[in-house]
Structure formats: structure tokens, C-alpha cells
Amino acid sequence: MSSAPTAPQSSMTLYATLTGSVDQAMVQRVFQSMALAIGNGVKSVHMLFHSAGGTVGDGIALYNYLRTLPIDLHLYNGGSVASVAVISFLGAKHRYTSASATFMIHRTYAPAALFTSAAAANAARLRGVTQSIEIDDARTLAILKANLTLTDQRLDEYLTTELPFDAKAALQCGLVGSIQEFTPPFGETLFNI
């Protein structure tokens, strides 16, 4: 596990990378790192983000946290941001993508272990799983609609077919503000969150 970065007192801009599953461990690392940066007077963070997704609740927690940070957050997709990681990505005010990066969204899935475990499932449990999936779909759909300029029909197509957004499609629908590489200046410390 990576240790949290220690921002120098004099640095007003921080450069970082964040990779892996969107889960409680990632959320904790981001919370800790951003609190440390803010406490040290950092005004701007440029962060390369790469994730195949994770847990819906953790992704929404990151989205809500990132969009309310009192710093100027610049998030970059350097390869692939998929599933609920796209929701987290949308929390940044300034969003960029590499020309060769992609995004992918889809509807919520229940973990396969739920259906393959030795535990028996009854109708009430399955209704609960269904309701949980429907709630997660409604939450993520509301965030996508609030941030993207896709018609309902086109958004549904992306969610149903898991059609990836290339850099140009991401720019056209407002997923990113520009196609731009993550390029920390020479000599800057690069933190891994």
C-alpha cells in the first residue's frame, strides 16, 4: 500500500498518480492525501487517474468529495477509466484525456459471488439485490445526465452495449474539457496516492 504524500510547504501545485480499483482503500488514500495537501497550502492538484472501476458506493463517495474540494483539481485519463471510475472522474472540475485513452460505462452488476455462494437465496433476498442495483443505476444515471451532453437514447446505448468513448467522443459529450497529456514539469515531485 502506498503511503500518503507529504506536500512541501512551499508547493502550491501538486502532481500525483492514482491507480487501481475504486474501493474503500482508494477512497481512504484520496481523503488522506487531499486533506494533507490542503493542510499544506496546496492550491492546485494535477492527477493522472487509471481505473477499471470498483464499488458504486465508493465511486459516488469519490465523486462527491472531489467536486467539493477547495482546491483546483485537474484529473487526467492516461489509459482507461471505466465503470464507476467514470463517475469518480466526473467529480473533478477540470478533466482531460490522453489522445489514446478510453472511457467505458455500463449498468450496475451484482457480484457473481452472490449467486454462486453456498448461501441460499430466497425471493426476499433477490428482491433486495434487485432494488440495490436499481438504486445504484438511478444514482449513477443522475450523475451522468448532470455532466454529459448525450441524448437519453445515446446514453442508454453506451450503458447497454458498454461501447467505449474514445478521446474525441469523450470531448464531444463533455466527459472531458480537452484532449491533453498529463505532463508534470521536470524536477517536480510526483506522488503516488
Side-chain angles (χ1 to χ4, degrees):
M1 181 181 225
S2 303
S3 61
T6 304
Q9 285 285 3
S10 62
S11 179
M12 299 305 278
T13 302
L14 183 75
Y15 296 88
T17 59
L18 177 63
T19 62
S21 294
V22 177
D23 57 15
Q24 285 184 338
M26 176 186 277
V27 171
Q28 289 171 343
R29 291 192 319 267
V30 171
F31 285 4
Q32 181 182 18
S33 299
M34 292 300 113
L36 186 60
I38 292 164
N40 280 303
V42 171
K43 302 291 183 204
S44 179
V45 173
H46 290 259
M47 185 166 32
L48 179 66
F49 185 46
H50 177 76
S51 177
T55 307
V56 173
D58 294 317
I60 291 174
L62 274 179
Y63 167 79
N64 287 325
Y65 182 74
L66 296 177
R67 70 189 180 98
T68 60
L69 282 175
I71 58 175
D72 199 25
L73 178 62
H74 299 259
L75 211 51
Y76 300 77
N77 175 357
S80 179
V81 174
S83 189
V84 79
V86 173
I87 299 300
S88 300
F89 185 85
L90 288 168
K93 182 178 179 181
H94 307 284
R95 301 182 303 269
Y96 315 96
T97 187
S98 169
S100 59
T102 60
F103 296 88
M104 187 275 296
I105 57 175
H106 61 79
R107 297 196 190 289
T108 306
Y109 291 103
L114 182 67
F115 301 103
T116 59
S117 70
N122 59 29
R125 184 174 183 201
L126 293 176
R127 272 192 300 278
V129 170
T130 300
Q131 287 174 353
S132 178
I133 291 170
E134 289 170 344
I135 289 168
D136 284 347
D137 276 346
R139 296 190 302 164
T140 55
L141 185 59
I143 291 168
L144 291 167
K145 284 184 173 187
N147 288 279
L148 304 181
T149 59
L150 292 170
T151 65
D152 287 348
Q153 180 181 356
R154 189 71 173 139
L155 180 56
D156 185 62
E157 182 181 343
Y158 275 102
L159 288 166
T160 303
T161 64
E162 300 183 21
L163 177 70
F165 293 84
D166 63 12
K168 288 180 183 176
L171 181 62
Q172 288 172 345
C173 74
L175 189 48
V176 296
S178 69
I179 298 172
Q180 182 176 324
E181 301 298 326
F182 176 71
T183 53
F186 180 77
E188 286 288 336
T189 301
L190 184 62
F191 297 96
N192 184 33
I193 298 175

